[in-house]
Amino acid sequence: LTGSTFTSKSLLWLFSVTSAFLFVAAIASWRRIHFSLLASEFLQAKATSRLDFSMKTLLTKVCDATIELNGDGTFAAPSPKLAALLMRSTVAAEGCKGRPFTDYVLEVDRGIVEQHFQATAEELQALQGVAGLAATELQVRLVDAGALLVPVQLFHVCFLGVDDRPRHMVGIMETNDDQR
């Protein structure tokens, strides 16, 4: 009888120690996985940021102006170079933030730009950002402060931002071709 009590206590103690060890191991494993996921997200955000910077740098070297737009085509930030190109101080000021880029596009060209931006954003979301999309090009006309037409070539890349939402990077190069 005493031997069986000792065995029960031993088994209970062994079970308790084993359970505690497994619990600690599970917590340690969860923390390692959690920190690994956090590190992965950080590295992905850092890579996205570097890609954004690289795209912007390249477009800045080649184009007269570079703009970054939200997924809905509104300005994500002011664009002093676009302001200079269109002789509009409002584009450089915070007043353009949240305003649609198409407000500066000739009315007959707006539909083309809106449709193109929407189609590339939808395609990017369907691909879930994997492999990204190729850069595209459009020829449209912008309207400057004096209501004069400015023929431009838009170089456009749609990409997923850090928040996993579509964004547009657009390089704008003035052309001499007003034969549209």
Side-chain angles (χ1 to χ4, degrees):
L1 194 65
T2 312
S4 108
T5 306
F6 176 74
T7 305
S8 297
K9 287 180 181 179
S10 297
L11 287 175
L12 183 61
W13 180 83
L14 183 62
F15 178 74
S16 298
V17 169
T18 304
S19 296
F21 175 75
L22 290 175
F23 180 72
V24 169
I27 288 175
S29 179
W30 177 83
R31 288 185 72 190
R32 193 172 348 166
I33 291 169
H34 179 70
F35 286 126
S36 176
L37 289 173
L38 287 176
S40 175
E41 288 177 13
F42 172 75
L43 291 175
Q44 183 178 2
K46 189 173 180 179
T48 300
S49 176
R50 285 183 177 164
L51 180 62
D52 294 352
F53 178 76
S54 298
M55 282 190 303
K56 189 177 268 186
T57 301
L58 179 63
L59 288 173
T60 301
K61 299 285 184 196
V62 175
C63 299
D64 298 312
T66 304
I67 58 174
E68 188 172 341
L69 305 173
N70 298 313
D72 61 358
T74 58
F75 282 91
S79 177
K81 288 187 176 183
L82 181 59
L85 181 67
L86 300 179
M87 298 179 289
R88 293 176 182 250
S89 61
T90 57
V91 180
E94 287 292 323
C96 77
K97 197 170 180 181
R99 186 173 180 177
F101 167 66
T102 53
D103 284 0
Y104 303 102
V105 177
L106 182 65
E107 193 170 342
V108 296
D109 291 343
R110 284 181 189 165
I112 296 167
V113 174
E114 289 169 347
Q115 183 180 21
H116 181 76
F117 284 1
Q118 183 178 357
T120 56
E122 288 172 359
E123 185 178 347
L124 183 67
Q125 285 183 317
L127 293 172
Q128 297 176 345
V130 177
L133 296 174
T136 58
E137 173 270 329
L138 291 171
Q139 292 184 356
V140 298
R141 292 160 292 182
L142 303 180
V143 181
D144 72 8
L148 296 174
L149 300 182
V150 181
V152 297
Q153 192 166 6
L154 303 180
F155 298 97
H156 170 245
V157 175
C158 187
F159 63 99
L160 288 180
V162 178
D163 59 357
D164 286 332
R165 292 185 180 165
R167 296 181 73 81
H168 305 275
M169 186 71 65
V170 182
I172 302 169
M173 183 187 307
E174 187 173 6
T175 65
N176 294 327
D177 181 26
D178 54 357
Q179 303 293 320
R180 278 200 33 120

